[in-house]
Amino acid sequence: MLQSLLNLRVLALAVIYLGIGTASLGLVLFLPLMIKQLGLSTLMTGFAAAIPYVVGTIGMVICGYITDRMHERRWNLFFTCLAAVVGLLAAALLSGSFWALAGLSVATIGFYGMKTSFWPLPSTFLSGTAAAAAIAAINSLGNLGGLIGPNLVGWLKDSTGSFEAGLYAMAGCALISAIVTLIAVQAPRRRVEPTGLGVAAA
């Protein structure tokens, strides 16, 4: 169990999840305030704030279908992290307009969609107690994003007077996740089962 916690691939997955968690949870707290600045009423702000998460939920189902159908995790994880980066950058560039909602919707597709290809990864090289310990450690470190993200966005808002810097910072966190995915996540090798049937399994 201890070896699994010190495994470099486990640590890489923890960094990936921390980056996305920081960006995602940094957005959750301040999204209503970002939308409120568009001049909407409190009621309409509530409805508008739900749009990115409805889109993200639908995107998560679609991403899950795609990654399972393709039997591929690494590139699906990379592109969903990249979607979060693009969405956050678009929201920052279009800040102050309703088009920013479209960017935030793309970002939430990345936040939610990455989980469908991310969480199967530990079990591709760990099993039993080691896998359980690694998943718990990854989840625990990722949840630190709930502390880092909101504080980072709030500090940048106070320092600059706008949410744009916070959006750029969250995009940077998601970009780190995408880069670590490319460097540290390995595509599982396919092997042939010794059944004589020629069935390849990951």
Side-chain angles (χ1 to χ4, degrees):
M1 183 174 66
L2 181 61
Q3 287 179 340
S4 71
L5 296 178
L6 298 177
N7 186 289
L8 290 179
R9 285 188 285 180
V10 171
L11 295 175
L13 291 177
V15 171
I16 293 168
Y17 199 56
L18 176 61
I20 287 295
T22 300
S24 173
L25 295 170
L27 180 64
V28 166
L29 187 63
F30 291 98
L31 179 60
L33 294 177
M34 294 178 187
I35 295 174
K36 184 71 173 177
Q37 290 183 336
L38 300 176
L40 296 177
S41 66
T42 301
L43 177 63
M44 292 308 297
T45 296
F47 283 119
I51 293 174
Y53 293 100
V54 171
V55 174
T57 301
I58 295 172
M60 178 175 63
V61 174
I62 295 173
C63 288
Y65 174 80
I66 292 172
T67 190
D68 284 344
R69 187 69 180 266
M70 294 176 64
H71 300 289
E72 200 285 325
R73 309 298 182 193
R74 179 173 182 251
W75 286 108
N76 281 289
L77 177 58
F78 170 74
F79 282 116
T80 46
C81 289
L82 197 62
V85 176
V86 172
L88 290 168
L89 289 176
L93 293 171
L94 299 170
S95 180
S97 73
F98 285 98
W99 285 106
L101 268 177
L104 294 174
S105 297
V106 173
T108 54
I109 291 174
F111 295 152
Y112 289 172
M114 64 84 64
K115 296 178 181 180
T116 63
S117 50
F118 177 84
W119 284 117
L121 286 172
S123 61
T124 62
F125 60 92
L126 296 171
S127 62
T129 303
I135 290 171
I138 292 167
N139 193 48
S140 297
L141 184 58
N143 285 336
L144 290 177
L147 173 65
I148 299 171
N151 281 287
L152 177 62
V153 175
W155 177 73
L156 289 171
K157 172 65 167 62
D158 291 340
S159 300
T160 64
S162 74
F163 286 109
E164 291 180 24
L167 289 167
Y168 285 126
M170 290 188 290
C173 292
L175 181 60
I176 290 173
S177 295
I179 292 172
V180 174
T181 297
L182 277 183
I183 295 173
V185 175
Q186 300 176 357
R189 295 179 179 178
R190 301 184 69 85
R191 60 186 176 82
V192 177
E193 294 289 344
T195 59
L197 300 176
V199 179

